[in-house]
PDB file of all heavy atoms in Angstrom:
ATOM      1  N   ARG A 296      99.989  35.613  89.545  1.00 34.00           N
ATOM      2  CA  ARG A 296     100.463  35.968  88.214  1.00 34.00           C
ATOM      3  C   ARG A 296     100.736  34.692  87.425  1.00 34.00           C
ATOM      4  O   ARG A 296     101.031  33.644  87.994  1.00 34.00           O
ATOM      5  CB  ARG A 296     101.726  36.819  88.307  1.00 34.00           C
ATOM      6  CG  ARG A 296     101.419  38.198  88.906  1.00 34.00           C
ATOM      7  CD  ARG A 296     102.652  38.812  89.503  1.00 34.00           C
ATOM      8  NE  ARG A 296     102.401  40.172  89.928  1.00 34.00           N
ATOM      9  CZ  ARG A 296     101.800  40.513  91.051  1.00 34.00           C
ATOM     10  NH1 ARG A 296     101.367  39.612  91.881  1.00 34.00           N
ATOM     11  NH2 ARG A 296     101.620  41.783  91.367  1.00 34.00           N
ATOM     12  N   ALA A 297     100.663  34.762  86.134  1.00 34.00           N
ATOM     13  CA  ALA A 297     100.838  33.575  85.305  1.00 34.00           C
ATOM     14  C   ALA A 297     102.295  33.203  85.199  1.00 34.00           C
ATOM     15  O   ALA A 297     103.200  33.977  85.484  1.00 34.00           O
ATOM     16  CB  ALA A 297     100.265  33.835  83.915  1.00 34.00           C
ATOM     17  N   LYS A 298     102.552  31.960  84.768  1.00 36.00           N
ATOM     18  CA  LYS A 298     103.918  31.540  84.490  1.00 36.00           C
ATOM     19  C   LYS A 298     104.397  32.236  83.224  1.00 36.00           C
ATOM     20  O   LYS A 298     103.631  32.813  82.473  1.00 36.00           O
ATOM     21  CB  LYS A 298     103.967  30.011  84.330  1.00 36.00           C
ATOM     22  CG  LYS A 298     103.737  29.284  85.648  1.00 36.00           C
ATOM     23  CD  LYS A 298     103.859  27.810  85.504  1.00 36.00           C
ATOM     24  CE  LYS A 298     102.552  27.204  85.023  1.00 36.00           C
ATOM     25  NZ  LYS A 298     102.547  25.749  85.093  1.00 36.00           N
ATOM     26  N   ALA A 299     105.697  32.121  82.989  1.00 35.00           N
ATOM     27  CA  ALA A 299     106.279  32.856  81.872  1.00 35.00           C
ATOM     28  C   ALA A 299     105.639  32.482  80.551  1.00 35.00           C
ATOM     29  O   ALA A 299     105.465  33.307  79.661  1.00 35.00           O
ATOM     30  CB  ALA A 299     107.791  32.597  81.829  1.00 35.00           C
ATOM     31  N   SER A 300     105.265  31.230  80.430  1.00 37.00           N
ATOM     32  CA  SER A 300     104.651  30.779  79.184  1.00 37.00           C
ATOM     33  C   SER A 300     103.294  31.415  78.945  1.00 37.00           C
ATOM     34  O   SER A 300     102.793  31.434  77.830  1.00 37.00           O
ATOM     35  CB  SER A 300     104.517  29.257  79.187  1.00 37.00           C
ATOM     36  OG  SER A 300     103.717  28.855  80.280  1.00 37.00           O
ATOM     37  N   ASP A 301     102.676  31.915  80.015  1.00 41.00           N
ATOM     38  CA  ASP A 301     101.335  32.507  79.901  1.00 41.00           C
ATOM     39  C   ASP A 301     101.365  34.029  79.919  1.00 41.00           C
ATOM     40  O   ASP A 301     100.345  34.661  80.054  1.00 41.00           O
ATOM     41  CB  ASP A 301     100.447  32.048  81.067  1.00 41.00           C
ATOM     42  CG  ASP A 301     100.317  30.543  81.104  1.00 41.00           C
ATOM     43  OD1 ASP A 301     100.358  29.960  80.017  1.00 41.00           O
ATOM     44  OD2 ASP A 301     100.200  29.981  82.213  1.00 41.00           O
ATOM     45  N   MET A 302     102.555  34.593  79.766  1.00 39.00           N
ATOM     46  CA  MET A 302     102.691  36.019  80.065  1.00 39.00           C
ATOM     47  C   MET A 302     101.927  36.908  79.094  1.00 39.00           C
ATOM     48  O   MET A 302     101.699  38.062  79.390  1.00 39.00           O
ATOM     49  CB  MET A 302     104.157  36.421  80.122  1.00 39.00           C
ATOM     50  CG  MET A 302     104.922  36.224  78.825  1.00 39.00           C
ATOM     51  SD  MET A 302     106.668  36.528  79.052  1.00 39.00           S
ATOM     52  CE  MET A 302     106.692  38.209  79.566  1.00 39.00           C
ATOM     53  N   HIS A 303     101.504  36.391  77.976  1.00 45.00           N
ATOM     54  CA  HIS A 303     100.758  37.240  77.040  1.00 45.00           C
ATOM     55  C   HIS A 303      99.284  36.877  76.989  1.00 45.00           C
ATOM     56  O   HIS A 303      98.537  37.403  76.177  1.00 45.00           O
ATOM     57  CB  HIS A 303     101.353  37.124  75.633  1.00 45.00           C
ATOM     58  CG  HIS A 303     102.769  37.630  75.564  1.00 45.00           C
ATOM     59  ND1 HIS A 303     103.113  38.935  75.827  1.00 45.00           N
ATOM     60  CD2 HIS A 303     103.916  36.968  75.284  1.00 45.00           C
ATOM     61  CE1 HIS A 303     104.436  39.087  75.701  1.00 45.00           C
ATOM     62  NE2 HIS A 303     104.948  37.899  75.372  1.00 45.00           N
ATOM     63  N   SER A 304      98.848  35.932  77.837  1.00 52.00           N
ATOM     64  CA  SER A 304      97.436  35.516  77.809  1.00 52.00           C
ATOM     65  C   SER A 304      96.616  36.340  78.788  1.00 52.00           C
ATOM     66  O   SER A 304      97.133  36.884  79.745  1.00 52.00           O
ATOM     67  CB  SER A 304      97.321  34.035  78.158  1.00 52.00           C
ATOM     68  OG  SER A 304      97.733  33.827  79.486  1.00 52.00           O
ATOM     69  N   LYS A 305      95.321  36.386  78.518  1.00 61.00           N
ATOM     70  CA  LYS A 305      94.407  37.074  79.418  1.00 61.00           C
ATOM     71  C   LYS A 305      93.787  36.066  80.381  1.00 61.00           C
ATOM     72  O   LYS A 305      93.527  34.933  80.017  1.00 61.00           O
ATOM     73  CB  LYS A 305      93.312  37.799  78.635  1.00 61.00           C
ATOM     74  CG  LYS A 305      93.817  39.003  77.864  1.00 61.00           C
ATOM     75  CD  LYS A 305      92.690  39.731  77.186  1.00 61.00           C
ATOM     76  CE  LYS A 305      93.205  40.969  76.458  1.00 61.00           C
ATOM     77  NZ  LYS A 305      92.118  41.696  75.772  1.00 61.00           N
ATOM     78  N   ASP A 306      93.565  36.522  81.614  1.00 69.00           N
ATOM     79  CA  ASP A 306      93.046  35.645  82.662  1.00 69.00           C
ATOM     80  C   ASP A 306      91.883  36.347  83.334  1.00 69.00           C
ATOM     81  O   ASP A 306      92.052  37.420  83.907  1.00 69.00           O
ATOM     82  CB  ASP A 306      94.165  35.343  83.671  1.00 69.00           C
ATOM     83  CG  ASP A 306      93.742  34.275  84.651  1.00 69.00           C
ATOM     84  OD1 ASP A 306      92.780  33.567  84.353  1.00 69.00           O
ATOM     85  OD2 ASP A 306      94.387  34.168  85.715  1.00 69.00           O
ATOM     86  N   CYS A 307      90.679  35.752  83.244  1.00 77.00           N
ATOM     87  CA  CYS A 307      89.509  36.366  83.884  1.00 77.00           C
ATOM     88  C   CYS A 307      89.560  36.138  85.388  1.00 77.00           C
ATOM     89  O   CYS A 307      90.146  35.174  85.868  1.00 77.00           O
ATOM     90  CB  CYS A 307      88.225  35.769  83.315  1.00 77.00           C
ATOM     91  SG  CYS A 307      87.865  36.296  81.636  1.00 77.00           S
ATOM     92  N   VAL A 308      88.927  37.046  86.109  1.00 81.00           N
ATOM     93  CA  VAL A 308      88.800  36.888  87.550  1.00 81.00           C
ATOM     94  C   VAL A 308      88.005  35.624  87.838  1.00 81.00           C
ATOM     95  O   VAL A 308      86.943  35.393  87.265  1.00 81.00           O
ATOM     96  CB  VAL A 308      88.097  38.114  88.167  1.00 81.00           C
ATOM     97  CG1 VAL A 308      87.757  37.866  89.624  1.00 81.00           C
ATOM     98  CG2 VAL A 308      88.975  39.342  88.025  1.00 81.00           C
ATOM     99  N   LYS A 309      88.548  34.778  88.705  1.00 85.00           N
ATOM    100  CA  LYS A 309      87.828  33.578  89.121  1.00 85.00           C
ATOM    101  C   LYS A 309      86.879  33.957  90.263  1.00 85.00           C
ATOM    102  O   LYS A 309      87.301  34.552  91.246  1.00 85.00           O
ATOM    103  CB  LYS A 309      88.813  32.508  89.592  1.00 85.00           C
ATOM    104  CG  LYS A 309      89.688  31.943  88.473  1.00 85.00           C
ATOM    105  CD  LYS A 309      88.899  30.972  87.626  1.00 85.00           C
ATOM    106  CE  LYS A 309      89.795  30.284  86.610  1.00 85.00           C
ATOM    107  NZ  LYS A 309      90.152  31.147  85.474  1.00 85.00           N
ATOM    108  N   VAL A 310      85.605  33.594  90.129  1.00 88.00           N
ATOM    109  CA  VAL A 310      84.605  33.955  91.128  1.00 88.00           C
ATOM    110  C   VAL A 310      83.974  32.683  91.684  1.00 88.00           C
ATOM    111  O   VAL A 310      83.531  31.815  90.936  1.00 88.00           O
ATOM    112  CB  VAL A 310      83.510  34.866  90.534  1.00 88.00           C
ATOM    113  CG1 VAL A 310      82.436  35.153  91.572  1.00 88.00           C
ATOM    114  CG2 VAL A 310      84.125  36.168  90.038  1.00 88.00           C
ATOM    115  N   ALA A 311      83.975  32.587  92.996  1.00 89.00           N
ATOM    116  CA  ALA A 311      83.326  31.474  93.687  1.00 89.00           C
ATOM    117  C   ALA A 311      82.246  32.029  94.607  1.00 89.00           C
ATOM    118  O   ALA A 311      82.399  33.105  95.176  1.00 89.00           O
ATOM    119  CB  ALA A 311      84.346  30.669  94.495  1.00 89.00           C
ATOM    120  N   VAL A 312      81.160  31.274  94.752  1.00 90.00           N
ATOM    121  CA  VAL A 312      80.071  31.671  95.641  1.00 90.00           C
ATOM    122  C   VAL A 312      79.858  30.559  96.661  1.00 90.00           C
ATOM    123  O   VAL A 312      79.801  29.383  96.311  1.00 90.00           O
ATOM    124  CB  VAL A 312      78.767  31.931  94.856  1.00 90.00           C
ATOM    125  CG1 VAL A 312      77.606  32.153  95.812  1.00 90.00           C
ATOM    126  CG2 VAL A 312      78.928  33.136  93.952  1.00 90.00           C
ATOM    127  N   ARG A 313      79.768  30.953  97.925  1.00 89.00           N
ATOM    128  CA  ARG A 313      79.550  29.992  99.016  1.00 89.00           C
ATOM    129  C   ARG A 313      78.223  30.317  99.690  1.00 89.00           C
ATOM    130  O   ARG A 313      77.988  31.458 100.093  1.00 89.00           O
ATOM    131  CB  ARG A 313      80.710  30.070 100.018  1.00 89.00           C
ATOM    132  CG  ARG A 313      80.478  29.276 101.289  1.00 89.00           C
ATOM    133  CD  ARG A 313      81.695  29.374 102.216  1.00 89.00           C
ATOM    134  NE  ARG A 313      81.382  28.864 103.537  1.00 89.00           N
ATOM    135  CZ  ARG A 313      81.074  29.614 104.580  1.00 89.00           C
ATOM    136  NH1 ARG A 313      81.018  30.924 104.456  1.00 89.00           N
ATOM    137  NH2 ARG A 313      80.800  29.070 105.753  1.00 89.00           N
TER     138      ARG A 313
END
Side-chain angles (χ1 to χ4, degrees):
R296 292 157 173 80
K298 290 183 276 190
S300 60
D301 301 328
M302 62 187 299
H303 296 298
S304 65
K305 290 184 178 179
D306 189 18
C307 288
V308 171
K309 292 283 186 284
V310 176
V312 172
R313 171 178 168 261

